[in-house]
Amino acid sequence: MFNFDNQHVIVSGGTRGIGAGITEQFLKSGATVVVTYSGNDEAANAFKDKNSQFGNKLILKKFNVSNTQEVEAFFTEIEKEIPSLEILVNNAGIRRDQIIASLNEGDWDAVIDTNLKGTYNMTRFAVLAMMKNRYGRIINMSSVGGKLGLPGQANYAASKAGQIALSLSASKEVAKRNITINNVCPGFIETELLKDLPEDQIKEYKSQVPMKRFGKVEEVAHAVLFFASKEASYITGATLDIAGGLNA
Ligand code: NAP
C-alpha cells in the first residue's frame, strides 16, 4: 500500500500480537524494522524465524520500555546499526485488570510504567534522533478503553488516555520539525492480550461491538502504516478508532 524503502522503524512489543502484524507490514513495504520485546524469547525467536526472508532488515532487541536506562542504552546501540530513524510505533503494552477497590499498587504501577512511561521514554529519545533529520512519524497504540473507561481497567484506561494527552502536547512541540505524533485506538483485537478473558465475557463484548466481531491484527496495522507514511504529512495530534464501531 505504501513504500517504506530506505526507512527505519522501531516497533516496541513487535514480536507478538498487533506489533508483530505491524512489523510484518513494514517489512513487506521495504522498511528496516527494529523490533523490541521484554522477556518472551521463545516468541521473539519464532517471529524472527518466521520472517527470516527479510534477513538483516529485521533486528531484534530485548529490554524493558519502562526502564529509562535500558531505553537510553537501546538508542545508543541502534545508532550504530541504523543510519537514521524515521518511524517509531509505541506498541508495547500490558493489562492487569481489577476493580478499583482491589487494584493494588503493583498492578497500578506496572501498567502505568509500561504503557505510559514506556511511551514517554521511547518518544523522548526518538524525537532527539528524528530532530537531526527534521523528519519523523510517531504512532502510539492507545485503546478505545482509554476513552470509554471499561470497568476493571482504571490503570489501563488511565495509561491509554495518558498516551493521547502526551501526544497532544508533544505533537505541538515538534510540528515545525516535520515530526508527527498520532494515536490509534483499537477496540477488541484478536491477540494473546485477551486470552485470559472468559468465554461469556468475550460473547458479551462481541455483542457490544456494532460489527459483532473482534478485529484482526492486520486491520490495525494498515492504519498504523497510513499514519507512518509520507502521505500523512498534515496529520498530527490525531486519534483514530479501529473498533468496529465501538466508539467513545
Ligand atoms: P500482546 O500480544 O500481549 O503483545 C505485547 C507485546 O509487548 C509483546 O511483544 C511484549 O513482549 C511487549 N511488552 C510488554 N511489556 C513490555 C515492556 N515492559 N517492555 C517492552 N516490551 C514489552 O499485546 P497486543 O494485544 O498485541 O497489544 C499491543 C498493544 O495494543 C498494547 O499497547 C495494547 O494495550 C494495545 N491494544 C490491544 C488491544 C487488543 O484487543 N489486543 C486493544 C486495544 C489496544 P514479550 O513478548 O517479551 O512479553
Side-chain angles (χ1 to χ4, degrees), residues 12-20 35-41 43-44 61-67 90-95 110 113-115 118 141-145 156 159-160 163 184-195 214-215 217 220 242:
S12 72
T15 53
R16 292 196 283 122
I18 295 172
V35 173
T36 87
Y37 69 105
S38 62
N40 190 335
D41 294 315
K61 298 285 176 191
K62 177 163 115 174
F63 64 93
N64 181 350
V65 290
S66 68
N67 183 313
N90 282 311
N91 168 78
I94 58 168
R95 276 177 46 227
D113 284 356
T114 303
N115 301 3
M141 194 59 59
S142 181
S143 169
V144 286
Y156 187 78
S159 73
K160 294 290 162 184
Q163 285 181 305
V184 293
C185 287
F188 297 105
I189 308 298
E190 284 165 358
T191 72
E192 284 177 24
L193 193 77
L194 305 182
K195 72 174 189 285
F214 285 178
V217 161
V220 179
I242 309 163

Side-chain angles (χ1 to χ4, degrees), residues 9 15 35 54 62 74 77-78 103-104 127 143 170 184 186 193 238:
V9 187
T15 53
V35 173
F54 295 105
K62 177 163 115 174
F74 161 73
E77 202 176 308
I78 58 153
L103 179 57
N104 65 46
V127 158
S143 169
V184 293
L193 193 77

Side-chain angles (χ1 to χ4, degrees), residues 8-150:
H8 308 87
V9 187
I10 297 172
V11 180
S12 72
T15 53
R16 292 196 283 122
I18 295 172
I22 293 168
T23 301
E24 285 173 350
Q25 291 294 327
F26 273 123
L27 288 168
K28 285 179 192 157
S29 308
T32 295
V33 190
V34 182
V35 173
T36 87
Y37 69 105
S38 62
N40 190 335
D41 294 315
E42 204 182 320
N45 290 330
F47 181 73
K48 178 119 180 134
D49 288 347
K50 184 178 168 224
N51 290 288
S52 59
Q53 77 268 30
F54 295 105
N56 56 13
K57 286 196 149 198
L58 173 60
I59 301 166
L60 249 64
K61 298 285 176 191
K62 177 163 115 174
F63 64 93
N64 181 350
V65 290
S66 68
N67 183 313
T68 308
Q69 285 74 36
E70 289 183 27
V71 173
E72 187 167 13
F74 161 73
F75 275 90
T76 306
E77 202 176 308
I78 58 153
E79 231 175 79
K80 296 174 202 131
E81 296 178 44
I82 54 173
S84 55
L85 175 66
E86 283 78 26
I87 301 160
L88 165 68
V89 183
N90 282 311
N91 168 78
I94 58 168
R95 276 177 46 227
R96 299 269 176 90
D97 294 359
Q98 194 51 260
I99 55 167
I100 190 76
S102 311
L103 179 57
N104 65 46
E105 192 181 350
D107 286 343
W108 173 268
D109 286 345
V111 170
I112 298 290
D113 284 356
T114 303
N115 301 3
L116 185 54
K117 188 178 175 192
T119 298
Y120 147 73
N121 274 337
M122 296 293 287
T123 302
R124 183 179 153 215
F125 289 102
V127 158
L128 284 170
M130 289 169 176
M131 283 202 301
K132 288 184 205 153
N133 298 326
R134 299 185 77 85
Y135 182 87
R137 299 273 185 268
I138 299 176
I139 300 102
N140 295 328
M141 194 59 59
S142 181
S143 169
V144 286
K147 299 193 287 174
L148 285 170
L150 296 176

